[in-house]
């Protein structure tokens, strides 16, 4: 039973964001990396990385590489390498493949989705299946990178917009 006088959702104001940006947090995407840092996208502000232990935020404006990425729409790491984090930019048809160790963040490569298929659109989500194939859902295309292969293949389908991927057992 839900007690509406005591809702199960609490407000976590993340005052470090307000201190840094000057306005109340309006987060539309969050991701916790293998080190416990929280990557988030602040609407109308962009990418930030929150270090919970020190109540510190690394803003995209403080890091040249993250400044290039700006606002993000999707993010994930892959089971084979937790130090490699893929970030789908919100305003670019690109995925930034980053290596992160502590506060050291470096660009491994940048995947231009238009090089895979023209008019791909931005990356909405990324998924890894049980065979370690990597799936990228962009606005206008579904893309797969087969395990052990560096190339990408657009999937020929006519299903309309893909809003999620799951795998049955």
């Amino acid at each position: 039973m839900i007690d509406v006088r005591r809702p199960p959702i609490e407000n976590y104001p993340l005052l470090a964001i307000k201190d840094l940006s000057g306005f109340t947090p309006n987060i539309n995407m969050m991701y916790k990396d293998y080190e416990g840092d929280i990557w988030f996208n602040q609407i109308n502000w962009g990418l930030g990385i929150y270090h919970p232990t020190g109540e510190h935020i690394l803003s995209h404006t403080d890091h040249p590489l993250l400044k290039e990425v700006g606002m993000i729409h999707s993010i994930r790491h892959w089971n084979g390498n937790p130090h490699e984090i893929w970030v789908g930019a919100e305003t670019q048809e690109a995925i930034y493949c980053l290596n992160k160790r502590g506060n050291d963040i470096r660009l491994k490569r940048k995947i231009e989705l238009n090089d895979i298929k023209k008019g791909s659109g931005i990356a909405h989500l990324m998924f890894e299946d049980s065979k370690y194939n990597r799936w990228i859902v962009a606005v206008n295309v579904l893309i797969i990178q087969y395990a052990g292969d560096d190339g990408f293949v657009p999937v020929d389908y006519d299903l309309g917009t893909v809003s999620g991927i799951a795998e049955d057992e």
Side-chain angles (χ1 to χ4, degrees):
M1 180 157 96
I2 296 175
D3 183 349
V4 293
R5 293 168 294 177
R6 303 185 94 211
I9 298 172
E10 293 183 35
N11 182 22
Y12 296 99
L14 289 173
L15 296 176
I17 294 175
K18 188 170 185 175
D19 292 344
L20 179 67
S21 66
F23 45 86
T24 302
N26 191 1
I27 296 171
N28 68 344
M29 195 283 319
M30 292 181 88
Y31 164 80
K32 185 176 180 181
D33 70 23
Y34 67 98
E35 295 177 327
D37 292 337
I38 299 170
W39 298 56
F40 64 91
N41 189 66
Q42 169 83 11
I43 294 176
N44 297 324
W45 183 65
L47 173 62
I49 302 173
Y50 176 65
H51 306 286
T53 54
E55 288 287 316
H56 170 73
I57 292 180
L58 174 65
S59 165
H60 72 282
T61 58
D62 298 332
H63 193 285
L65 174 59
L66 299 180
K67 189 173 189 174
E68 181 183 333
V69 176
M71 292 189 282
I72 60 175
H73 195 79
S74 56
I75 187 169
R76 89 156 281 139
H77 76 275
W78 307 106
N79 288 327
N81 185 356
H83 296 284
E84 185 176 333
I85 298 171
W86 286 21
V87 177
E90 187 171 290
T91 58
Q92 305 170 49
E93 295 180 13
I95 295 173
Y96 290 80
C97 304
L98 309 175
N99 276 337
K100 178 183 178 277
R101 294 180 190 273
N103 288 329
D104 184 29
I105 302 170
R106 297 174 190 245
L107 179 65
K108 182 175 179 183
R109 67 180 166 153
K110 182 178 177 183
I111 301 167
E112 296 286 352
L113 298 177
N114 274 325
D115 291 346
I116 300 167
K117 184 169 180 177
K118 284 279 188 220
S120 292
I122 63 172
H124 276 295
L125 63 93
M126 295 173 270
F127 175 79
E128 184 174 44
D129 66 27
S130 61
K131 295 178 182 173
Y132 304 107
N133 299 313
R134 298 173 179 182
W135 298 80
I136 300 168
V137 176
V139 172
N140 299 312
V141 67
L142 176 63
I143 300 167
I144 185 170
Q145 181 186 36
Y146 292 102
D149 189 352
D150 288 335
F152 296 90
V153 179
V155 176
D156 187 24
Y157 74 94
D158 190 16
L159 302 174
T161 303
V162 176
S163 60
I165 296 180
E167 182 176 26
D168 290 335
E169 292 187 30

